[in-house]
Amino acid sequence: MHSWTDTLRFAFQPVVNLATGGVAGLEILARPETGDVLAEARRDPELDGRLAVSAVRAAARRETLLPLHVNVFAATLADLGGLTPLHTAVREAGRLPWEVTIDIGPPYTHVPQHALLEAVAALRSQGFRISADGVGDGDVPLRLLTDMAPDLVKLDASLLSRPAAVRAMRTLCEQLGALLSVEGVETELQCAAAVSAGAQLAQGELFAPPARLPAADVYVPPRSPATAGPQRSGPSVRQFVRPAALLPATVSAGHVRALLTGSPEVSGVLLVDAHGVPVRSVHRSRFLLSMSGRYGHALYADRPAAKLGDAPRTVGVDATAWEVLDVVAVGGRDRTSDDVAVVDRYGRCVGVVRLADLVRALAESRVEEAAGLNPLTRLPGSDAITGEVDRRIADGRAFALSWLDVDHFKQVNDGAGFAAGDELIRSVGRALQRSASDSTRVGHIGGDDFLVLADPEGLDPVAASVLDAPWSAGGRPVSLSLATVVCAPGSVLDHRQAAAWLAPLKKAAKSLPGASWVLGRAGLPGHEVRRGTQAAAAPAG
């Protein structure tokens, strides 16, 4: 009699880091040649548990070092109270529990929630990472999701067409300290939407289809400056996390040598304690140099590898790229190429970052920033401002977008000369910068036009800085016009809609004599004249 294992095979689908373009892990998918073993497993917890064990063993046969994602139904965990055989299989495969993420999938209907949460707590205490799978297309209750406090939330790609829901899920992930992943990404448009929504990870046919052999290379569309993330405080280290090569702190130098010589892509090994906390860092080149020297193998092969390691350099998952550089700067120059361990709130290693990735990203952001600066004022252009508008929309934040220009600027240039006009523009730009708070962005989009992005409560200082000051060019008095549209969460879908609401307000401000300020709200008719000769309110959109 044939067993279900006779025709069962497994495929590997990469989990992709959207910032680095690297493979952050492998989800192991059951692919039976006949029958529907998954439908059977949904009804039979014991079978589902055996599938999880078989998945880990299949990965071990492929000798992959990448972190693994193993699928388990929620009902299985609630019924079995944990997965003791899985823990044994992971240990026998030479892997560590914190290298394995348990993807808990629907259905959740009729699953005893208390039993499920107890099983999740047991798995987490063993070191496994927890993922909530099928969110957005499954039936996971929101309260249960928050009680599970997963390390990763996997969002169905169909939810990308509902930006408000994605923004809400990203906010929840931030509160839980979880990463956000999007499954089923098939197009570059979906990928761009995932990046804009703040997802760190993704899976789908666009990157690489499931395959019998773990994929080494995947396709990731290049990120545009508008979706590259905020740069003022530096990009988050989460964008650059790579899988870490982890071994127990007690292994021998010979064991580490075998791993490094068999895996040329591994730049270093982190030795961790029983809880997954890094205790020593082994750098590839320095370690192999010590082992290859005269008598090196004889001296060190059977000794603990920790003797040839260094104290690990660690940063939290919430650190910025600049903070990582500060960590790298401490210590000898011979360690500047060491991987930096990224640890979670428990101190457990969740991956590593490489200095080369950080330097490249920071350099590119500076080049992009410099290329977008207006040569007259050294302020960023419209792309930087509109990109930040889209990020605030994705974050579900209220914001105020303002347009400012000099009244009758052509006459100013014709009468006072272009040099006086240029100096006036520079002075206005400096005034806007001086009034800007940490959350305010000022852009010079050309000629005498400026864009200002601010929190709604930060508008008055910006307006006062330019409307209360006396302006002149070549001894000729000059006035400025300011138009503002306040956008509440959900009132606009992107920067184009915000600009469309701003356009009639600009026209209304220009129609008023002298210094003027007109304010409207996206989605609502009418506008308010805050400065200038009062006029009857006109429809704003």
Side-chain angles (χ1 to χ4, degrees):
M1 183 174 183
H2 290 291
S3 166
W4 58 269
T5 58
D6 294 338
T7 58
L8 184 65
R9 300 293 183 267
F10 289 91
F12 301 88
Q13 184 168 48
V15 179
V16 177
N17 184 313
L18 291 173
T20 65
V23 180
L26 295 171
E27 181 175 354
I28 314 172
L29 304 168
R31 290 291 187 265
E33 293 182 6
T34 58
D36 190 350
V37 70
L38 292 181
E40 296 179 38
R42 189 178 294 112
R43 298 187 296 266
D44 184 348
E46 293 288 346
L47 173 59
D48 194 31
R50 294 200 299 274
L51 277 177
V53 170
S54 297
V56 170
R57 290 173 177 165
R61 289 193 294 271
R62 297 301 182 186
E63 298 183 343
T64 176
L65 292 174
L66 288 166
L68 307 175
H69 289 247
V70 178
N71 293 289
V72 177
F73 290 111
T76 297
L77 293 182
D79 187 83
L80 299 182
L83 295 171
T84 302
L86 178 64
H87 191 280
T88 302
V90 169
R91 185 175 62 251
E92 291 174 348
R95 303 300 293 264
L96 300 171
W98 42 89
E99 296 179 86
V100 179
T101 297
I102 308 298
D103 285 2
I104 304 175
Y108 288 85
T109 303
H110 307 308
V111 173
Q113 295 189 8
H114 183 70
L116 174 60
L117 291 174
E118 285 187 341
V120 168
L123 288 169
R124 185 171 275 127
S125 68
Q126 295 169 5
F128 290 104
R129 292 169 59 78
I130 303 299
S131 166
D133 201 355
V135 176
D137 194 43
D139 60 345
V140 54
L142 189 58
R143 186 174 66 179
L144 177 61
L145 182 63
T146 58
D147 289 343
M148 286 171 57
D151 302 283
L152 175 67
V153 171
K154 287 191 171 183
L155 203 64
D156 189 83
S158 63
L159 215 58
L160 293 173
S161 62
R162 298 166 176 82
V166 179
R167 288 195 298 269
M169 190 53 61
R170 180 188 172 186
T171 300
L172 178 61
C173 286
E174 290 175 349
Q175 294 296 318
L176 296 176
L179 295 176
L180 179 63
S181 181
V182 178
E183 294 185 292
V185 175
E186 297 180 351
T187 67
E188 294 196 10
L189 189 61
Q190 286 181 321
C191 181
V195 172
S196 179
Q200 295 94 355
L201 305 172
Q203 295 172 252
E205 295 282 337
L206 175 67
F207 312 108
R212 294 294 173 86
L213 295 177
D217 297 308
V218 293
Y219 168 73
V220 179
R223 303 179 75 184
S224 66
T227 60
Q231 302 295 332
R232 174 164 289 199
S233 59
S236 169
V237 73
R238 292 171 182 261
Q239 299 179 25
F240 307 101
V241 174
R242 292 176 176 265
L246 305 176
L247 288 175
T250 55
V251 298
S252 67
H255 192 147
V256 173
R257 181 179 182 275
L259 187 154
L260 292 175
T261 54
S263 307
E265 74 282 1
V266 174
S267 56
V269 176
L270 286 171
L271 306 180
V272 296
D273 65 14
H275 303 289
V277 177
V279 294
R280 301 295 282 177
S281 174
V282 176
H283 184 268
R284 179 186 187 88
S285 298
R286 292 198 302 275
F287 176 84
L288 292 179
L289 185 62
S290 298
M291 291 290 288
S292 61
R294 192 176 186 184
Y295 309 121
H297 189 273
L299 286 172
Y300 299 116
D302 296 326
R303 300 181 65 186
K307 298 281 187 183
L308 297 176
D310 300 287
R313 289 172 165 174
T314 61
V315 296
V317 292
D318 296 320
T320 67
W322 292 111
E323 290 173 313
V324 178
L325 294 185
D326 290 339
V327 171
V328 172
V330 177
R333 293 184 177 180
D334 60 328
R335 295 199 61 192
T336 54
S337 62
D338 286 20
D339 292 341
V340 177
V342 181
V343 296
D344 63 14
R345 59 184 178 272
Y346 304 108
R348 301 179 307 193
C349 181
V350 298
V352 295
V353 290
R354 295 179 181 175
L355 181 63
D357 289 340
L358 301 183
V359 171
R360 185 182 306 113
L362 292 172
E364 288 175 354
S365 70
R366 290 296 180 261
V367 169
E368 289 173 354
E369 182 180 320
L373 295 180
N374 187 286
L376 182 61
T377 59
R378 308 304 296 167
L379 289 172
S382 60
D383 284 349
I385 303 300
T386 56
E388 179 64 16
V389 168
D390 287 337
R391 282 189 286 273
R392 296 194 187 191
I393 292 171
D395 289 342
R397 295 172 56 185
F399 64 90
L401 182 63
S402 299
W403 164 88
L404 174 80
D405 81 341
V406 178
D407 294 329
H408 312 297
F409 185 63
K410 184 178 185 304
Q411 296 177 19
V412 172
N413 269 345
D414 290 345
F418 71 87
D422 286 352
E423 181 53 38
L424 173 63
I425 295 302
R426 281 192 287 265
S427 298
V428 172
R430 288 193 293 267
L432 288 171
Q433 284 182 294
R434 285 194 297 267
S435 68
S437 66
D438 289 342
S439 61
T440 301
R441 304 290 184 269
V442 179
H444 182 192
I445 61 177
D448 61 324
D449 293 318
F450 293 86
L451 280 179
V452 181
L453 176 63
D455 293 333
E457 58 272 17
L459 283 173
D460 288 334
V462 175
S465 70
V466 290
L467 298 182
D468 291 347
W471 298 102
S472 64
R476 298 166 179 262
V478 173
S479 62
L480 307 180
S481 294
L482 179 67
T484 300
V485 60
V486 176
C487 300
S491 62
V492 291
L493 295 178
D494 57 21
H495 70 269
R496 296 174 184 84
Q497 286 193 0
W501 281 103
L502 185 57
L505 300 175
K506 169 185 173 181
K507 184 177 179 180
K510 295 297 289 183
S511 69
L512 301 176
S516 61
W517 180 17
V518 167
L519 182 144
R521 299 182 183 277
L524 298 177
H527 62 255
E528 173 189 354
V529 178
R530 291 200 166 186
R531 297 286 180 93
T533 304
Q534 294 294 320

